Amino acid sequence: ASDSVRAGRAQAVADRLQALASEKVTITKKANEQGHLFEAVTAAEIAAAANVPEDAILLDRPIKEVGAHEIQVSFGDDTGAFTLEVVAE
């Protein structure tokens, strides 16, 4: 890719990171009555829901509980965070 294409993509991601700070991203998964997910939420699922590149999602560990989770995002020099709400189906 050319430098201008890379720069344009980086700017688009930077703009998206800024917008995410004020948005609520929600993922619905199957969970038991105690709020434990049957299947962990992956970085790929979070990236798809937040509309950012998967490699921008920084997860210390898989998410296995319903509730609000702060997700760190880093792409190039741009970093940010947003709240991911995991709800039971």
Side-chain angles (χ1 to χ4, degrees):
S2 71
D3 287 342
S4 63
V5 169
R6 266 195 291 277
R9 182 170 183 250
Q11 185 60 51
V13 172
D15 292 345
R16 183 68 189 126
L17 292 181
Q18 201 167 26
L20 273 173
S22 61
E23 291 179 18
K24 186 169 152 186
V25 178
T26 304
I27 291 180
T28 303
K29 298 281 270 187
K30 291 187 178 191
N32 66 17
E33 292 175 11
Q34 291 79 34
H36 299 289
L37 300 178
F38 292 120
E39 188 178 275
V41 178
T42 65
E45 290 172 302
I46 297 167
N51 197 25
V52 296
E54 182 179 348
D55 58 356
I57 302 292
L58 305 176
L59 272 186
D60 291 339
R61 61 197 183 299
I63 296 172
K64 298 182 181 181
E65 306 283 330
V66 297
H69 304 272
E70 185 170 297
I71 305 298
Q72 299 296 319
V73 186
S74 177
F75 189 82
D77 294 334
D78 297 300
T79 60
F82 65 92
T83 301
L84 172 70
E85 187 73 32
V86 179
V87 296
E89 274 185 2

